[in-house]
């Protein structure tokens, strides 16, 4: 694999829409970060019990240096059935990919930092809808930015 293109490890249970969208966003991310370092990104379908709150759709963690994993909730699978859900999926993936970069580069950051990086990398701001879930749709019910201060930092 050429230098700086991440190895992408995909969970076969992740639906094609989420996988395809994630891969396209990673391609954009790689172009933006060309020359930084070699790294791996895993996209995994998590267990429902790992996402206890209604607004919990995904999280990112560092598995080892230079290997980040984005874990998506089973509820994200159902979200792709609606326009509102696809807007959420797009925003969530952008947000979690920003976390992946920040973690791989060992940069301390906040949730708002991840939103800003996602905006800078992918060209669209992250909004929060009426349910406090990320969306790319500025016209989603209750859409606002930045991230509400009452949400975890």
């Amino acid at each position: 694999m050429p230098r700086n293109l991440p190895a992408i490890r995909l969970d076969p249970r992740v639906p094609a829409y989420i996988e395809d969208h994630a891969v396209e966003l990673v391609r954009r991310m790689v172009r933006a970060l060309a020359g930084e370092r070699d790294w791996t990104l895993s996209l995994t379908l998590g267990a429902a019990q790992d996402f206890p709150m209604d607004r919990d759709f995904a999280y990112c963690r560092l598995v080892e240096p230079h290997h980040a994993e984005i874990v998506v909730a089973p509820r994200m699978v159902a979200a792709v059935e609606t326009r509102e859900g696809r807007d959420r999926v797009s925003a969530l993936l952008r947000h979690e990919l920003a976390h992946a970069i920040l973690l791989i580069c060992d940069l301390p950051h906040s949730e708002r930092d991840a939103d800003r990086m996602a905006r800078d990398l992918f060209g669209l701001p992250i909004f929060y809808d009426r349910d406090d879930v990320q969306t790319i749709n500025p016209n989603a019910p209750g859409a606002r930015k930045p991230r509400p201060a009452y949400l975890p930092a």
Side-chain angles (χ1 to χ4, degrees):
M1 180 170 273
R3 178 165 166 49
N4 300 321
L5 290 179
I8 303 174
R9 299 178 185 163
L10 299 170
D11 184 327
R13 300 170 296 159
V14 173
Y17 175 84
I18 295 173
E19 178 181 313
D20 293 346
H21 198 65
V23 169
E24 175 54 31
L25 290 172
V26 167
R27 284 190 185 118
R28 291 187 206 174
M29 194 169 79
V30 167
R31 286 193 296 268
L33 294 175
E36 286 300 313
R37 59 185 68 195
D38 292 328
W39 51 282
T40 299
L41 176 69
S42 297
L43 181 62
T44 307
L45 184 63
Q49 65 265 25
D50 294 334
F51 301 89
M53 298 177 62
D54 288 343
R55 65 171 303 277
D56 293 343
F57 279 81
Y59 65 85
C60 183
R61 68 188 187 102
L62 198 61
V63 177
E64 57 189 39
H66 304 238
H67 179 188
E69 177 183 43
I70 296 172
V71 182
V72 299
R75 71 173 58 97
M76 191 186 266
V77 173
V80 301
E81 300 300 321
T82 67
R83 166 68 192 270
E84 177 184 36
R86 287 189 298 275
D87 289 344
R88 283 177 165 184
V89 166
S90 184
L92 289 157
L93 288 173
R94 292 163 193 252
H95 175 89
E96 298 306 333
L97 286 165
H99 276 301
I101 294 167
L102 292 162
L103 289 168
I104 287 168
C105 293
D106 197 26
L107 295 172
H109 65 281
S110 68
E111 293 295 323
R112 284 188 177 179
D113 292 334
D115 285 348
R116 281 190 290 276
M117 176 164 272
R119 179 202 61 213
D120 293 347
L121 281 172
F122 305 115
L124 292 173
I126 302 292
F127 296 90
Y128 287 77
D129 67 18
R130 67 179 176 266
D131 299 321
D132 295 327
V133 176
Q134 292 95 330
T135 181
I136 58 167
N137 183 355
N139 300 313
R144 67 226 181 265
K145 63 178 177 119
R147 180 184 180 90
Y150 57 82
L151 292 176

